[in-house]
Amino acid sequence: MIIIRSMRSPGGNEVEIANDCGEKYRITLADAKRLGVDDQDNLPVSVDDDEYVAFLDSKLKAVRYCKYLLGFSDKSAKTLLAKMREKEYSDEVCNEALRVLKDSGFLNETDICLSKVKSIAASKPYGPYRIRAYLSQKGFGGSDIEKALEDCDIDFDGKCLDVLFKMSPDAGEMNDPQELLKLKAKLSRYGFSSESIRYAVKEYNKYNEE
């Protein structure tokens, strides 16, 4: 392949190149410099690996597509990978695109996970176990989820008590073993630990005794 034309994008981070057959490719400035085709004054330049140029073009398209998706909402690497595969990008292109996004700071799953934990806890009556399961289903890694739960600074004991009050049980239900079991089971399904549930029931009873 003989590269005969090179033009930088208005932002300067991308380069459109064209070969002697009229085929055009858009690649990153960094990749263009590695190929020696970043400056029109240096052309023409012969590039031996045509497939590699096509790969660089696809990689940039995949990166731009992921940035577009991330502009709507935070997504895990697993979700982005699935989206790229739907667009029929090769696994090699997908993996390289994810590496670029992570290296450039556009995809920081640890920070995204922390943001998700806080958002879910603020909008839903979920405890840590339910949040953990939700994020796992969304493709976030276990270590990122655990770190987010450790760093979120959320009082899940207090949240469990708040949820119990919002359920508005009759105070007498706390003295009915069957009803109490139902309330505890519901809180458990929301993802609260047995320790948080015991705390919430105890504090609820103390409040109603006053």
Side-chain angles (χ1 to χ4, degrees):
M1 179 187 294
I2 307 296
I3 305 300
I4 61 171
R5 186 163 62 89
S6 173
M7 181 180 298
R8 293 194 186 187
S9 64
N13 294 323
E14 300 176 3
V15 178
E16 183 181 271
I17 57 177
N19 62 19
D20 53 349
C21 295
E23 296 169 325
K24 296 179 180 180
Y25 303 89
R26 184 175 286 268
I27 62 179
T28 66
L29 176 60
D31 287 335
K33 287 182 176 180
R34 280 189 282 270
L35 292 175
V37 298
D38 59 304
D39 192 335
Q40 181 67 33
D41 293 338
N42 294 334
L43 303 181
V45 169
S46 176
V47 178
D48 295 332
D49 194 340
D50 294 9
E51 291 185 359
Y52 182 61
V53 175
F55 166 80
L56 295 178
D57 178 87
S58 292
K59 178 191 71 173
L60 178 56
K61 285 186 174 71
V63 168
R64 294 175 73 181
Y65 176 57
C66 288
K67 286 182 179 180
Y68 167 77
L69 294 175
L70 289 168
F72 288 99
S73 64
D74 292 331
K75 291 176 175 60
S76 67
K78 185 176 180 179
T79 297
L80 291 175
L81 180 60
K83 292 290 186 181
M84 285 189 285
R85 284 174 173 168
E86 288 176 4
K87 292 289 186 179
E88 298 185 350
Y89 288 109
S90 71
D91 285 347
E92 186 180 8
V93 167
C94 292
N95 291 333
E96 184 63 12
L98 290 176
R99 183 194 66 76
V100 169
L101 290 166
K102 290 177 180 178
D103 289 350
S104 61
F106 275 96
L107 180 62
N108 186 324
E109 289 197 283
T110 300
D111 289 347
I112 291 174
C113 213
L114 179 58
S115 176
K116 288 283 190 182
V117 167
K118 291 181 177 180
S119 175
I120 295 168
S123 61
K124 297 183 181 294
Y126 290 173
Y129 296 127
R130 185 76 176 268
I131 293 174
R132 184 183 290 113
Y134 176 86
L135 292 176
S136 180
Q137 290 174 354
K138 293 297 182 180
F140 291 96
S143 60
D144 287 324
I145 295 172
E146 294 308 316
K147 180 167 177 52
L149 287 169
E150 289 176 4
D151 296 346
C152 67
D153 196 30
I154 295 172
D155 177 10
F156 283 110
D157 285 350
K159 182 173 175 60
C160 185
L161 178 59
D162 289 341
V163 172
L164 181 57
F165 271 109
K166 288 177 182 178
M167 288 164 57
S168 300
D170 184 283
E173 291 180 358
M174 293 297 182
N175 298 319
D176 184 328
Q178 293 301 317
E179 292 301 325
L180 182 56
L181 282 175
K182 290 179 182 179
L183 289 171
K184 289 181 176 180
K186 190 170 184 178
L187 290 171
S188 181
R189 287 195 297 272
Y190 279 144
F192 292 102
S193 68
S194 56
E195 291 80 5
S196 290
I197 294 171
R198 282 197 295 270
Y199 168 83
V201 171
K202 179 181 177 182
E203 292 300 311
Y204 183 90
N205 284 334
K206 284 171 60 177
Y207 175 84
N208 281 284
E209 288 170 0
E210 293 177 357

